């Protein structure tokens, strides 16, 4: 079930999702703990797929028919922490695909507060089946490339 007010929105080929910073997201100094940005970005990637019409459960069932026993795994990630976020900040998690190749998808992500970019990331997600990288199923490849146009 897609809930745009919760799942965010796709504008100009980029997924935008709002996240409020809570006390539990911060460290002893009152700024967002670095690992929590990974959680925010994971939610952004998941909701990006959902708003493109690919709720993960349905997508997994369809891909399971094409390639049994598969999973998406984060293969690599680079992050630049530029500025801190603090409790009660409203953040915009922005996600967009850069490339869809063979067995992986490269995504760019930013966590923003207004016009300020706080964190930049590039994430390579690999498609793995039976313990090995496999070509991404056509249904997923078509979905991601459609968003890149």
């Amino acid at each position: 079930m897609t809930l745009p007010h919760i799942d965010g929105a796709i504008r100009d080929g980029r997924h935008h999702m709002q996240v409020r910073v809570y006390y539990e997201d911060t460290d002893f100094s009152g700024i967002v703990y670095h690992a929590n940005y990974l959680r925010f970005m994971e939610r952004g990637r998941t909701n990006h797929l959902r708003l493109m019409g690919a709720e993960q459960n349905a997508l997994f069932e369809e891909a399971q028919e094409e390639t049994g026993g598969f999973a998406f795994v984060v293969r690599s990630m680079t992050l630049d922490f530029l500025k801190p976020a603090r409790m009660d900040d409203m953040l915009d998690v922005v996600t967009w695909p850069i490339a869809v190749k063979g067995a992986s998808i490269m995504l760019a992500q930013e966590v923003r507060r207004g016009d300020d970019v706080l964190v930049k990331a590039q994430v390579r997600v690999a498609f793995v089946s039976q313990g090995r990288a496999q070509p991404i199923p056509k249904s997923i490849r078509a979905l991601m490339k459609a968003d890149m146009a």
Side-chain angles (χ1 to χ4, degrees), residues 3-19 40 43-45 47-48 51 91-96 109-112 114 147:
L3 301 171
H5 62 285
I6 293 174
D7 297 334
I10 295 177
R11 297 188 304 271
D12 300 322
R14 295 179 181 207
H15 176 261
H16 293 258
M17 181 188 76
Q18 300 294 303
V19 174
F40 300 157
R43 292 178 206 157
R45 292 191 302 274
N47 286 335
H48 180 216
L51 286 180
L91 306 178
D92 187 18
V93 180
V94 185
T95 305
W96 67 97
Q109 291 191 281
E110 292 180 349
V111 178
R112 303 173 182 170
D147 193 51

Side-chain angles (χ1 to χ4, degrees), residues 66-86:
E66 197 173 325
T67 307
F70 80 95
F72 281 111
V73 296
V74 172
R75 171 71 171 87
S76 63
M77 178 180 269
T78 58
L79 295 123
D80 285 318
F81 297 95
L82 306 171
K83 296 180 181 180
R86 293 181 166 70

Side-chain angles (χ1 to χ4, degrees), residues 1 14-15 21 25 34-35 37-38 42 44 52 70 72 81 83 90-91 102 110 112 119 123 126 143-144:
M1 169 185 259
R14 295 179 181 207
H15 176 261
V21 175
D25 299 319
H34 70 280
Y37 291 105
L38 298 175
E42 175 67 30
M52 288 172 38
F70 80 95
F72 281 111
F81 297 95
K83 296 180 181 180
M90 284 300 297
L91 306 178
E110 292 180 349
R112 303 173 182 170
V119 178
V123 184
L143 191 66
M144 293 305 291

Side-chain angles (χ1 to χ4, degrees), residues 20-27 31-33 36 39-40:
R20 181 180 300 280
V21 175
Y22 292 98
Y23 179 77
E24 67 189 28
D25 299 319
T26 63
D27 63 15
I31 63 172
V32 171
Y33 182 66
N36 287 328
R39 291 181 27 227
F40 300 157

